[in-house]
Amino acid sequence: MKRTSPLLTLFAVICMIACAEKKNEIKITGELGDPKPVYLINSKLLAEGEFADGTITFRLDTVNTAIAMISYSANGDHPLCPVIIDGTPIEITVKGEKAEVTKGSDQNKKLSEAYERVVVAKSQMNQFLEDYNKAHKECEGMLPDDVMEGFQKRYDAIEEDIAAAQRQAILENADNMVPIYFLRTTGANLGVEFVDNFMKDYKYKDSEMLDHVRTLLGGERNKQPGAMVVDFVGKDLNDQECHLTDFVGKGKYVLVDFWASWCGPCRAEMPNVKACYEKYHDKGFDIVGISFDNNKEAWEKGVKDLGITWPQISDLKGWQCAASDLYNIKSIPATILYDPDGKVIETNLRGEQLDKVLAKYLDK
């Protein structure tokens, strides 16, 4: 189950850096539709434009440079385009589902162009989902392996096209703030190595706007194959403090399972996890659950209802769980498989793939 977060994480929220005092004006014209667009500056401020004579105008007094998203909806689920608030007047022309910066700083125009290229790449996913849902319905939810494999390859190809467009946008704009938008909204999907290499010489590499990206990269590094286990501290169901390192790196293969009692996909996957535990436990396999619950009673009930018998750890902070940043876990279920020495083998194993990987190491 994906983490539910507002536009703040996906599109707009890019903190701020100080600059000279300035007044920012943004005008939007064209096919505005209904409802009218809104403008998000950051997590604490949502500004709605003034509509008059076919034009929406935002007038903002600020002493900061920021990146935000123009959207048709207050929660940002119908975005038009991102903008860089940098003290220069901005004009945006809307035509249908597209929005173009027709007046503004050079970096705003470059951001507009790059964003549109990414939107085009992402549009392939709409047809993919339509085709997949149709096939899924025709097969009554039981797609043949060869058909499923074909869809997986197609999905991977589209994802790579999207990532390629994002990487291109970043590399072409190393002298301005455009990359900050894509780094903030795309993050580790671009690959740890790519982002690390780019950040080394990026003009704004030390900006606080990229603090989130640095945290995200740290979490991704902790999941790379060969990485040593990084400790997580929480409490078990008996309110006793325990460490992940109490279980990982102690001579057994250990699957760390990130889940929550409220997560439907987690509960659906649990019978498969249990089957693997029962099949391989006596051969040197253990599981540790890290729960993203925030209610102990619900956590306890989930463990009981699902028949979970392996150790559990949680700090009962929900999506604010320390493990979220520590391992960059932004959707659950998620897993990390460690070898007997506490090194990462693979991540996000589930279904038949989990059994296959375990068999490789334990069916000897």
Side-chain angles (χ1 to χ4, degrees):
M1 179 175 290
K2 287 187 177 296
R3 175 178 184 169
T4 55
S5 59
L7 174 68
L8 311 178
T9 301
L10 297 176
F11 296 109
V13 185
I14 310 222
C15 300
M16 300 187 248
I17 58 175
C19 62
E21 185 169 359
K22 57 192 70 171
K23 185 161 186 171
N24 300 282
E25 184 175 82
I26 301 173
K27 292 185 177 181
I28 307 173
T29 60
E31 301 171 5
L32 299 179
D34 189 24
K36 303 300 185 294
V38 293
Y39 173 67
L40 281 83
I41 298 176
N42 57 39
S43 59
K44 296 181 179 179
L45 179 59
L46 172 66
E48 185 171 354
E50 301 172 2
F51 183 73
D53 300 325
T55 299
I56 293 176
T57 303
F58 299 95
R59 295 182 179 88
L60 303 165
D61 291 309
T62 177
V63 294
N64 297 301
T65 294
I67 298 179
M69 174 62 72
I70 302 293
S71 173
Y72 273 122
S73 61
N75 63 8
D77 61 7
H78 194 165
L80 276 171
C81 71
V83 291
I84 302 171
I85 313 303
D86 57 8
T88 60
I90 300 172
E91 292 185 8
I92 298 171
T93 302
V94 178
K95 186 174 183 180
E97 295 294 313
K98 296 182 179 181
E100 179 184 0
V101 174
T102 49
K103 180 180 178 180
S105 63
D106 186 54
Q107 64 178 353
N108 258 301
K109 292 179 180 179
K110 289 179 177 179
L111 176 57
S112 178
E113 293 168 0
Y115 179 76
E116 182 56 31
R117 290 201 303 268
V118 172
V119 168
V120 171
K122 288 182 176 180
S123 66
Q124 302 175 75
M125 196 63 76
N126 296 329
Q127 186 61 52
F128 168 84
L129 292 174
E130 183 178 326
D131 295 343
Y132 176 80
N133 290 333
K134 180 180 179 181
H136 196 267
K137 184 177 181 180
E138 291 175 349
C139 296
E140 297 182 347
M142 299 294 291
L143 291 175
D145 289 345
D146 60 333
V147 175
M148 191 64 199
E149 183 178 352
F151 274 117
Q152 186 62 55
K153 289 181 178 179
R154 182 177 165 190
Y155 177 86
D156 291 343
I158 294 172
E159 285 284 282
E160 180 52 38
D161 283 348
I162 296 171
Q166 292 165 333
R167 292 189 194 104
Q168 180 183 359
I170 289 170
L171 293 174
E172 289 179 348
N173 292 282
D175 62 344
N176 59 52
M177 295 175 62
V178 170
I180 295 177
Y181 170 78
F182 291 102
L183 290 170
R184 284 282 308 188
T185 56
T186 305
N189 291 340
L190 298 174
V192 172
E193 184 177 1
F194 171 83
V195 178
D196 273 343
N197 288 336
F198 177 77
M199 293 272 280
K200 288 177 183 176
D201 300 315
Y202 180 42
K203 182 177 180 179
Y204 297 98
K205 65 180 180 180
D206 296 323
S207 169
E208 64 181 21
M209 291 190 288
L210 292 173
D211 286 349
H212 168 74
V213 178
R214 283 185 278 270
T215 298
L216 176 152
L217 288 175
E220 281 299 302
R221 291 189 194 97
N222 292 339
K223 296 189 297 185
Q224 296 293 297
M228 289 299 299
V229 60
V230 177
D231 201 14
F232 167 73
V233 183
K235 291 185 178 181
D236 62 19
L237 287 165
N238 296 315
D239 288 326
Q240 296 298 308
E241 181 177 289
C242 53
H243 296 242
L244 182 60
T245 50
D246 292 339
F247 309 97
V248 178
K250 303 300 182 181
K252 291 187 176 183
Y253 289 90
V254 179
L255 183 77
V256 178
D257 182 29
F258 301 89
W259 75 292
S261 65
W262 47 259
C263 169
C266 299
R267 299 178 75 99
E269 175 66 11
M270 203 59 72
N272 175 65
V273 178
K274 284 183 62 180
C276 288
Y277 181 74
E278 293 166 0
K279 182 176 181 180
Y280 295 105
H281 180 60
D282 291 340
K283 298 180 180 182
F285 173 62
D286 270 330
I287 302 175
V288 177
I290 294 183
S291 170
F292 279 42
D293 277 280
N294 53 21
N295 181 289
K296 187 182 178 185
E297 290 183 1
W299 178 29
E300 289 177 323
K301 186 175 187 302
V303 169
K304 181 179 179 180
D305 291 348
L306 294 167
I308 296 172
T309 58
W310 49 84
Q312 293 287 313
I313 311 174
S314 182
D315 57 14
L316 292 177
K317 295 181 179 179
W319 276 116
Q320 301 306 312
C321 176
S324 178
D325 285 340
L326 196 58
Y327 312 104
N328 194 36
I329 304 299
K330 305 305 178 187
S331 65
I332 53 177
T335 60
I336 303 175
L337 179 64
Y338 290 94
D339 74 7
D341 296 322
K343 293 181 180 180
V344 175
I345 297 175
E346 289 193 42
T347 61
N348 291 327
L349 295 170
R350 58 176 63 102
E352 293 182 0
Q353 189 62 25
L354 174 59
D355 185 270
K356 289 179 180 178
V357 172
L358 292 175
K360 176 182 175 182
Y361 292 98
L362 295 167
D363 274 346
K364 297 180 180 179

